[in-house]
Amino acid sequence: MKIVRAGSSQAPEPLQHAGPDKLTDETRTLIRPTGFREYDGRWWFGRPGAGKTPELNLMGAQALGMGLGTFIRRSGAGPEIVTGHDFRSYSLAIKLALVCGLMAAGARVKDIGLALSPMAYFAQFALDTRSVAMVTASHNENGWTGFKMGVARPLTFGPDEMAQLRRIVLEADFDLTGGGAYEFVPDFRRRYIDDLVRCRRIGRRLKVVAACGNGTAGAFAPEVLERIGCEVIVLDCELDHSFPRYNPNPEDLKMLRAIRDKVLESGADVGLGFDGDGDRLGVVDNEGRKIFADKVGVMLARDLSALHPASTFVVDVKSTGLFATDPVLQANGAHTDYWKTGHSYIKRRVAELGAIAGFEKSGHFFFAPPLGRGYDDGLAAAIAVCEMLDRNPGSNLADLYRALPVTWASPTMSPYCDDEVKYAVVEHTKERFWTMRQEGLPIAGQKIIDLTTVNGVRVTVEDGTWGLVRASSNKPELVVVVESPVSGARRHAMFEAIDRILREHAEVGAYNQSL
């Protein structure tokens, strides 16, 4: 790759797709522009037999490092940066390429090695370093890679930062000052685990299934749960980057069913599932019921607002309407703010509002002072669930769930839609709903009473049934969620009404899962 310094009119001409010429693949920077997403970088790196065209090579990762090193210096964050990587066959190589680029731009790298994303965020505090670059594709299938980045703890990049980084990289507007440095920080895993469990010990001997989908969390979750006093039953905790049973994705029904089966077989009090980089949590109760993370959030909000009355919570627009209507939260004086989906958005909003916690339906849980440092951590969320059960010794998790008002909610459904058109499809859907509301036209047989457009469009009708359409921030997909406080039939009616509008676009493909 020809390195071009700042001010040059030449750029390395990043390729958008790899071609059949392997020499070209090895001598040109490959970094598809669409991989710069709303708040993460996410690219298909490739794996044998996948039949998909790579979107990033190691030279592209190096160019990203040069761009990120340039960005952090220009932002005034200082030259220090924490790096880590998840457990995939190629993640270490990608991280080292990134590190080369960072050092060329003068960054002083503190490498914590194999890590969870929240471990990298913790390192920003523990190592007094403002910036972070975590190499992870999170829950995406094997073959994907990605980067979670930030320059102001505990926040990660939003759209503005990603747009600036994208421009620097694609235009090769690098400040290659040199003078970089590299330091490997040994045994940082121990420091992270010790911090998580400090002063956290439950008195109730809970039997807990810890499921990790053979992802990185398998090296962390069992020990953390044992150290707070749980009896741990491990499920797919051996590190295996081929993910032989299912992707480590606690929102995926296949993983949740495996947890359910283990809970019922073992008689466990709770099943806890972690994603590939440990920043998300999925929960199965003692009766084998899959509890969507937004309902877990309502239970945690009830528990926390009893300890901290008049607390503020932030939840994403995919989340249940119970946060606004639950009588226990109302009695505790809790206030809930519905905000944009995405770990970066929720982290930022929690900080802006001084909220005590934030929840996403995808399984990100954020605990701010005095409970945490404000970033998302699946292991911290698992501890919070165990502590909630410990504070309710006369109830099991199924009891706490049944105590919630009943709603009929869908899983998160994700029809395929190419990155280049998905936002236009969402905009068209939003315009259709606005027109229907202005003209007094019903949807799913009822009058529209509210449209929330902070992230895609969430349409609510008279009986409280609602549906959401938004563009995925990480994959070429739309996101569709529906919920009704009335019945499963009303939920299905809302889904069908939304789906009819989406089917006006030939670009919208099949759903990953349905009602």
Side-chain angles (χ1 to χ4, degrees):
M1 177 180 68
K2 182 178 180 181
I3 303 299
V4 184
R5 295 183 180 273
S8 171
S9 60
Q10 284 187 296
E13 298 181 299
L15 300 170
Q16 293 206 32
H17 295 282
D21 182 352
K22 299 304 178 186
L23 177 61
T24 297
D25 293 351
E26 291 291 321
T27 56
R28 296 275 302 275
T29 302
L30 172 62
I31 185 165
R32 191 181 184 194
T34 53
F36 294 91
R37 300 178 185 270
E38 286 184 42
Y39 46 83
D40 293 343
R42 199 70 63 95
W43 286 271
W44 175 255
F45 186 72
R47 60 178 169 83
K52 295 172 65 174
T53 303
E55 301 172 348
L56 180 82
N57 62 6
L58 294 178
M59 297 178 72
Q62 181 180 335
L64 184 69
M66 292 190 290
L68 180 59
T70 298
F71 178 86
I72 64 175
R73 276 188 171 271
R74 292 179 184 174
S75 69
E80 292 81 15
I81 184 169
V82 168
T83 62
H85 69 279
D86 67 4
F87 188 76
R88 299 189 186 235
S89 62
Y90 42 81
S91 290
L92 176 57
I94 290 172
K95 183 186 70 178
L96 293 177
L98 178 80
V99 166
C100 286
L102 285 166
M103 292 174 63
R108 303 181 66 84
V109 177
K110 298 179 181 181
D111 185 3
I112 60 173
L114 182 70
L116 302 177
S117 289
M119 176 174 152
Y121 304 148
F122 166 67
Q124 291 176 270
F125 291 87
L127 302 177
D128 193 22
T129 301
R130 288 181 59 182
S131 299
V132 65
M134 175 68 191
V135 176
T136 178
S138 186
H139 62 278
N140 283 22
E141 65 183 278
N142 195 28
W144 283 92
T145 192
F147 304 83
K148 294 181 178 179
M149 299 165 284
V151 295
R153 59 193 179 213
L155 307 181
T156 42
F157 280 0
D160 290 344
E161 293 93 341
M162 288 302 297
Q164 292 179 59
L165 179 62
R166 181 183 188 274
R167 186 201 64 77
I168 290 170
V169 174
L170 297 185
E171 296 180 9
D173 181 22
F174 307 127
D175 295 334
L176 302 181
T177 61
Y182 176 87
E183 174 191 357
F184 182 78
V185 183
D187 201 26
F188 197 76
R189 171 184 172 277
R190 176 63 46 208
R191 292 178 65 177
Y192 167 64
I193 291 177
D194 287 347
D195 181 78
L196 271 176
V197 302
R198 186 172 293 115
C199 301
R200 313 291 283 273
R201 184 79 184 180
I202 60 173
R204 182 178 176 182
R205 183 67 169 171
L206 296 171
K207 182 184 286 189
V208 178
V209 172
C212 299
N214 302 111
T216 320
F220 296 83
E223 180 178 345
V224 167
L225 293 168
E226 286 174 357
R227 287 182 61 181
I228 68 167
C230 296
E231 176 187 345
V232 179
I233 301 159
V234 297
L235 177 63
D236 302 319
C237 290
E238 305 82 6
L239 298 186
D240 185 341
H241 49 64
S242 70
F243 304 149
R245 295 192 63 198
Y246 39 73
N247 284 346
N249 178 3
E251 203 175 16
D252 183 85
L253 294 182
K254 190 173 182 182
M255 183 175 186
L256 288 168
R257 288 175 186 135
I259 300 172
R260 172 201 64 193
D261 293 346
K262 198 68 172 178
V263 165
L264 295 176
E265 171 194 310
S266 63
D269 295 292
V270 62
L272 302 172
F274 304 90
D275 74 337
D277 65 332
D279 60 5
R280 291 169 58 217
L281 175 71
V283 177
V284 173
D285 73 14
N286 53 292
E287 296 178 358
R289 181 185 295 107
K290 303 175 289 292
I291 305 179
F292 293 130
D294 56 344
K295 296 289 183 70
V296 176
V298 174
M299 289 189 283
L300 288 173
R302 282 181 161 195
D303 182 59
L304 295 173
S305 62
L307 299 172
H308 306 275
S311 295
T312 296
F313 299 93
V314 177
V315 302
D316 77 317
V317 293
K318 294 192 300 180
S319 294
T320 176
L322 288 180
F323 282 105
T325 62
D326 177 57
V328 174
L329 292 181
Q330 292 176 347
N332 291 341
H335 171 73
T336 298
D337 181 74
Y338 283 86
W339 196 241
K340 301 176 183 179
T341 292
H343 67 87
S344 182
Y345 295 125
I346 301 295
K347 265 188 285 243
R348 198 171 296 261
R349 190 67 168 173
V350 165
E352 287 175 355
L353 298 182
I356 197 169
F359 309 115
E360 273 197 282
K361 187 172 183 177
S362 62
H364 290 272
F365 296 82
F366 310 77
F367 299 100
L371 305 177
R373 296 182 179 86
Y375 52 77
D376 41 336
D377 189 331
L379 295 177
I383 293 172
V385 169
C386 293
E387 290 178 332
M388 175 180 67
L389 289 171
D390 192 39
R391 282 191 284 267
N392 291 271
S395 300
N396 56 42
L397 189 57
D399 293 333
L400 296 179
Y401 178 74
R402 276 190 288 268
L404 299 178
V406 176
T407 71
W408 287 261
S410 75
T412 299
M413 300 171 286
S414 302
Y416 180 85
C417 192
D418 199 75
D419 286 321
E420 283 82 359
V421 300
K422 63 187 182 184
Y423 291 101
V425 171
V426 171
E427 190 62 31
H428 172 265
T429 305
K430 185 189 305 183
E431 291 173 358
R432 284 290 308 274
F433 286 145
W434 274 115
T435 300
M436 292 172 71
R437 186 182 190 185
Q438 290 172 346
E439 296 179 357
L441 298 175
I443 181 170
Q446 292 199 5
K447 180 181 178 181
I448 297 173
I449 62 167
D450 184 62
L451 288 176
T452 301
T453 57
V454 68
N455 186 208
V457 57
R458 176 166 164 157
V459 55
T460 304
V461 297
E462 292 172 289
D463 66 2
T465 301
W466 61 268
L468 170 77
V469 179
R470 59 177 291 271
S472 169
S473 301
N474 296 319
K475 298 180 75 175
E477 295 173 343
L478 300 178
V479 174
V480 178
V481 181
V482 292
E483 182 187 49
S484 175
V486 178
S487 68
R490 290 293 300 138
R491 174 195 64 180
H492 197 77
M494 177 61 77
F495 169 73
E496 288 184 331
I498 289 174
D499 187 60
R500 278 194 296 272
I501 292 175
L502 293 180
R503 292 302 146 196
E504 295 173 5
H505 299 270
E507 301 92 343
V508 178
Y511 289 84
N512 64 328
Q513 52 189 327
S514 59
L515 294 180

